[in-house]
Amino acid sequence: MKGKKSYFYSIATAVSAAAVMLLSSSCGIINEDLDPCPGPVTKLRFVYEYNMERANAFHNQVHCLSVFIFDENGKLVSRRNETSEDALHDENYRMTVDLPEGDYHVVAYGGMECENSSFSHLSQLSTGSNVSDIRVSLDPAGLTPSGGSPLHNHFYGAADFSVTDTSTETRVEMMRNTNTIQVALQNISGAPISHEDFDFKITDDNTLFDHRNNLIENGTVTYLPYHTETMTAEPSQETKADGDTPVSIALARFSTSRIVRAKSVAPTLSVTRKNDGGEVFRIPLSSYMLLFKENHANTAPMGDQEYLDRENSWRFVFFLDDANGTWISTHLIINDWMVRINNTEF
């Protein structure tokens, strides 16, 4: 019996020793020199799917990120920046939030912490600032660009989230606030035309935003093109007929802030002749942008503002009567689609 007792004692001792070793290696329960077990983690995931493709383009288009976190009373409790393009271009990128348990609201901006940012805060936010204190403004230099550069892309996003005793991940939907607009003039007869004969401009009131990304009245401004040129389009070899000649196009490219229709100052695109100051055309820009929406099954169900926000690249081709240098209003191409205008009232 003595031998059996010794045998059972040896087993019990071995089991106890293994348990001690297991506990001492587990999150510092026994061995306080080890790191504690990781607690619940709260992460923010940023996506930009609010576009016409409905595909996440955040990792391709956002090069810097600034994040403001407010508590349930709307007071700023944390601010984070991410300026590593390598980090943001990783589709697995998440921002880890280290905050006490509670309910929070996050406001995020893409593009504002980049070196060539076109937007900035009117005043710096500090701990305790109210979310309603946010004011984001377009740099006036973006209205009259030099060096052939468009506005740096600007994105906005917001979401509510909670920090609890379990790990969570919150999705922050981003929206792009910048547009590129290309305006091309072509003589209906095919006669030569030059960009140097025209002045192009867009007027709007869209340079100041509140914390919900709504525009605040800030006065009418004038956007000038960041690039103009005269291009020549050669007839394709497949369709070229005898006597076909190259067609010249007067081209202007603009970059603007968010296009919003329902406000007191409507965005307007106008072109005038330099030789006599005569008006070639003046159109309500957002109304013409929406001409394209109603004719396509995937865009017709959208609300007007949703469509204007999802689409951020616009191409207009206006055909002119070269006899008097004015637009033939029944001839217009928007984003490569011919639009027929029949007594439309805007």
Side-chain angles (χ1 to χ4, degrees):
M1 292 298 293
K2 183 177 180 180
K4 289 184 179 180
K5 287 183 179 179
S6 176
Y7 173 75
F8 288 126
Y9 177 80
S10 298
I11 294 177
T13 301
V15 171
S16 297
V20 169
M21 290 180 63
L22 177 62
L23 289 172
S24 66
S25 63
S26 300
C27 308
I29 295 175
I30 300 300
N31 189 343
E32 294 182 355
D33 293 333
L34 296 178
D35 293 333
C37 288
V41 177
T42 301
K43 294 183 179 181
L44 302 177
R45 181 193 178 201
F46 302 89
V47 297
Y48 169 48
E49 295 179 350
Y50 201 65
N51 50 52
M52 295 303 293
E53 291 76 26
R54 294 179 172 82
N56 185 13
F58 177 88
H59 309 290
N60 297 325
Q61 296 193 23
V62 178
H63 308 298
C64 59
L65 183 67
S66 51
V67 174
F68 301 84
I69 299 176
F70 301 85
D71 64 17
E72 59 184 1
N73 298 314
K75 301 297 184 181
L76 181 66
V77 295
S78 180
R79 175 176 178 174
R80 297 279 302 277
N81 293 331
E82 179 58 76
T83 57
S84 170
E85 290 193 37
D86 289 340
L88 293 174
H89 290 175
D90 183 354
E91 294 187 5
N92 294 316
Y93 173 78
R94 304 290 189 274
M95 179 176 284
T96 301
V97 177
D98 185 13
L99 291 168
E101 291 188 16
D103 297 325
Y104 297 92
H105 179 72
V106 58
V107 177
Y109 295 97
M112 289 183 66
E113 296 300 322
C114 298
E115 183 177 354
N116 56 344
S117 172
S118 299
F119 293 78
S120 61
H121 289 277
L122 283 185
S123 60
Q124 293 299 316
L125 301 179
S126 57
T127 301
S129 294
N130 198 286
V131 64
S132 61
D133 294 336
I134 292 178
R135 293 290 185 273
V136 173
S137 177
L138 170 64
D139 184 343
L143 302 173
T144 55
S146 59
S149 298
L151 296 176
H152 187 82
N153 284 344
H154 177 65
F155 296 83
Y156 165 88
D160 295 317
F161 70 97
S162 297
V163 176
T164 66
D165 58 357
T166 59
S167 295
T168 59
E169 181 175 291
T170 297
R171 178 185 175 101
V172 183
E173 301 274 358
M174 306 294 286
M175 185 179 82
R176 180 169 159 176
N177 278 334
T178 42
N179 296 269
T180 56
I181 300 171
Q182 178 175 287
V183 179
L185 307 181
Q186 179 180 335
N187 281 324
I188 193 71
S189 68
I193 195 171
S194 173
H195 71 280
E196 295 182 347
D197 295 333
F198 302 93
D199 285 321
F200 303 81
K201 69 179 181 180
I202 293 174
T203 57
D204 203 349
D205 180 1
N206 61 346
T207 60
L208 185 62
F209 294 85
D210 69 9
H211 66 288
R212 294 190 177 94
N213 205 42
N214 296 317
L215 288 172
I216 302 172
E217 291 187 3
N218 197 39
T220 302
V221 296
T222 299
Y223 292 90
L224 298 181
Y226 69 85
H227 177 78
T228 57
E229 66 174 315
T230 300
M231 300 182 66
T232 301
E234 296 283 348
S236 66
Q237 295 299 319
E238 292 79 8
T239 61
K240 185 176 182 180
D242 291 341
D244 281 353
T245 59
V247 175
S248 59
I249 299 171
L251 187 68
R253 293 191 178 98
F254 293 87
S255 185
T256 77
S257 180
R258 186 184 181 196
I259 301 294
V260 175
R261 188 181 190 191
K263 61 186 197 307
S264 59
V265 176
T268 302
L269 168 65
S270 62
V271 176
T272 56
R273 296 183 299 272
K274 287 185 177 180
N275 61 350
D276 61 2
E279 194 168 85
V280 178
F281 62 80
R282 176 184 298 270
I283 64 168
L285 186 58
S286 58
S287 297
Y288 275 72
M289 289 173 167
L290 292 170
L291 289 175
F292 180 79
K293 179 181 85 79
E294 301 299 334
N295 294 324
H296 300 275
N298 63 327
T299 57
M302 292 181 188
D304 288 351
Q305 192 57 51
E306 178 184 351
Y307 176 73
L308 294 173
D309 288 333
R310 282 185 178 272
E311 181 62 82
N312 51 63
S313 180
W314 305 89
R315 298 176 303 279
F316 294 86
V317 181
F318 298 87
F319 293 89
L320 308 187
D321 180 353
D322 46 313
N324 55 26
T326 57
W327 171 41
I328 301 174
S329 60
T330 56
H331 289 66
L332 173 63
I333 296 176
I334 303 176
N335 284 4
D336 300 328
W337 289 84
M338 177 65 75
V339 175
R340 299 294 182 185
I341 303 175
N342 298 312
N343 299 320
T344 300
E345 295 183 3
F346 297 108

